[in-house]
Amino acid sequence: VHTIYRTQGKYAAQRALRSVRRSTSSPTVRAQIDQMLTEIVNGTFTRHPSGAPVDRKPTPRPKPTKATRPTKPISHAARRRRRLMAALLVLVLIALGAWHWWPRHVNVFNLKIADNAPVGTCLGKQDKDWLNTPTALRKGDCDKPHWGEVIAYIQLAKVPSAYPGDAQANALAYFRCGEALVQQHLNNSGYAVRAFYAGANDWNDGKNQTTYENYAACVIHRSDGNDLTAGGVTKPDAPKKRAPVAMALFATDVAQNAPVGTCVQNRSDGQLTGNVPIVDCSEWHWAQIIGYPTICPAGKPWPGDAAVIAQAEKACGTPRLRGFTSWAGSPDHSWWSDSKQVKYAYCLVHRADDKPFKGALG
């Protein structure tokens, strides 16, 4: 911790101490860690290892006199050794400087979450294709303005479990990462969240011989391109309470919608055409999302409003639960302006009396 404090700053030292505290149940160790955290906050944390004689001055040795000073001349071999040591020292200093300034990489995409860079890790400016290289993100300095941070690792599904499909996996990842953003009160401050997760080939479904933990890594950065402030914005110890996330039900790409199986907290705009508050169905909600069925393939002509509404209602069907009814959202005429656009409906199930309820409908 003292080495981290000296080389990476106080915020990195605090993260290291908190990580160790979470991994131990020893009251003694935790008390020592709490003391060190308090010292760091108060600015009294010593840069010397605990127990080192920082205040004790060495007893000065007597200066050598002419009578005791060695008179033997330095040999040629000794001079060569000194020059060699000096050269090696210069190379070591150059290497240390290069190590300090050269971009270091961090991994947020190991098979196991515990093997990744910890939550709160700061990231430097990334390459253009950084979304395709989650194993080699550039490490940043948390004590200085930096580009982004690792905000959370979120479990998307049980291990093992069937791959949910590309669209549903993407929707789940961004819902859960968005929830982490809300939990840390960063959702309305100009932040963007990016999610990394495995595709079908690496997903742990119990058949493809992988130990991937079916999770998403969440990275945040400023949506306007500016740097995050020095000191970091991530709070690894923030409460993990369920929170609503603003998501769409009708994006042109289904993968950008709220995931199937989550719930609409309330019918805020009446027509549900914009972003709506999405919650885990264990919370109070108005309706549950049960699907996004295709009602018209790309290239088909506009059949008229009545036909589109009828197709949507047919695709969504009628719930078999007594006291519940369905809500079928359908696209308008503007969706047919793009001949390559697949047209779909969104299907919700809610109580017939519109009252809120808790729990998933299955």
Side-chain angles (χ1 to χ4, degrees), residues 18-39:
R18 291 188 181 115
S19 177
V20 175
R21 195 182 191 284
R22 288 193 296 269
S23 65
T24 180
S25 58
S26 169
T28 303
V29 175
R30 287 193 166 190
Q32 292 174 341
I33 290 174
D34 291 340
Q35 177 63 30
M36 295 172 76
L37 287 170
T38 300
E39 291 176 358

Side-chain angles (χ1 to χ4, degrees), residues 291-307:
Y292 297 99
T294 298
I295 58 174
C296 186
K300 291 288 186 178
W302 163 249
D305 283 327

Side-chain angles (χ1 to χ4, degrees), residues 19-223:
S19 177
V20 175
R21 195 182 191 284
R22 288 193 296 269
S23 65
T24 180
S25 58
S26 169
T28 303
V29 175
R30 287 193 166 190
Q32 292 174 341
I33 290 174
D34 291 340
Q35 177 63 30
M36 295 172 76
L37 287 170
T38 300
E39 291 176 358
I40 291 175
V41 171
N42 295 336
T44 58
F45 187 69
T46 174
R47 290 176 179 265
H48 297 273
S50 179
V54 294
D55 297 326
R56 186 181 303 164
K57 295 182 179 180
T59 303
R61 294 181 180 180
K63 295 182 179 179
T65 63
K66 291 183 178 180
T68 60
R69 190 175 297 150
T71 57
K72 185 178 179 179
I74 300 174
S75 67
H76 180 68
R79 289 193 182 95
R80 290 185 61 185
R81 284 196 297 271
R82 288 185 178 183
R83 286 196 295 268
L84 178 60
M85 290 300 295
L88 287 174
L89 179 59
V90 171
L91 290 175
V92 168
L93 292 174
I94 293 173
L96 286 173
W99 176 84
H100 180 75
W101 292 108
W102 196 266
R104 282 168 281 172
H105 289 154
V106 295
N107 191 349
V108 298
F109 205 51
N110 282 298
L111 293 174
K112 297 183 180 298
I113 296 175
D115 294 335
N116 289 333
V119 172
T121 297
C122 296
L123 304 172
K125 190 67 176 178
Q126 303 300 310
D127 297 326
K128 291 182 179 179
D129 62 343
W130 70 280
L131 288 172
N132 298 320
T133 57
T135 59
L137 299 183
R138 293 177 181 268
K139 186 174 176 61
D141 187 349
C142 292
D143 290 333
K144 300 177 181 178
H146 50 280
W147 174 83
E149 295 178 19
V150 180
I151 189 173
Y153 295 100
I154 306 294
Q155 199 79 40
L156 299 181
K158 294 180 180 180
V159 178
S161 61
Y163 182 61
D166 293 340
Q168 177 70 357
N170 189 81
L172 274 171
Y174 277 91
F175 169 63
R176 293 303 181 191
C177 289
E179 189 175 44
L181 205 66
V182 176
Q183 288 167 348
Q184 301 209 24
H185 307 288
L186 300 174
N187 53 315
N188 295 320
S189 303
Y191 295 97
V193 62
R194 299 288 183 175
F196 299 93
Y197 56 92
N201 292 334
D202 298 312
W203 193 267
N204 189 343
D205 60 1
K207 301 176 183 177
N208 57 5
Q209 305 299 317
T210 179
T211 57
Y212 176 66
E213 292 184 337
N214 296 348
Y215 70 92
C218 310
V219 172
I220 62 166
H221 60 91
R222 293 283 304 181
S223 54

Side-chain angles (χ1 to χ4, degrees), residues 221-233:
H221 60 91
R222 293 283 304 181
S223 54
D224 57 11
N226 293 327
D227 284 341
L228 301 177
T229 57
V233 298

Side-chain angles (χ1 to χ4, degrees), residues 270-308:
Q271 297 301 315
L272 306 174
T273 54
N275 283 345
V276 296
I278 303 298
V279 296
D280 189 275
C281 291
S282 61
E283 301 298 309
W284 287 102
H285 56 272
W286 166 71
Q288 180 174 329
I289 304 168
I290 61 172
Y292 297 99
T294 298
I295 58 174
C296 186
K300 291 288 186 178
W302 163 249
D305 283 327
V308 171

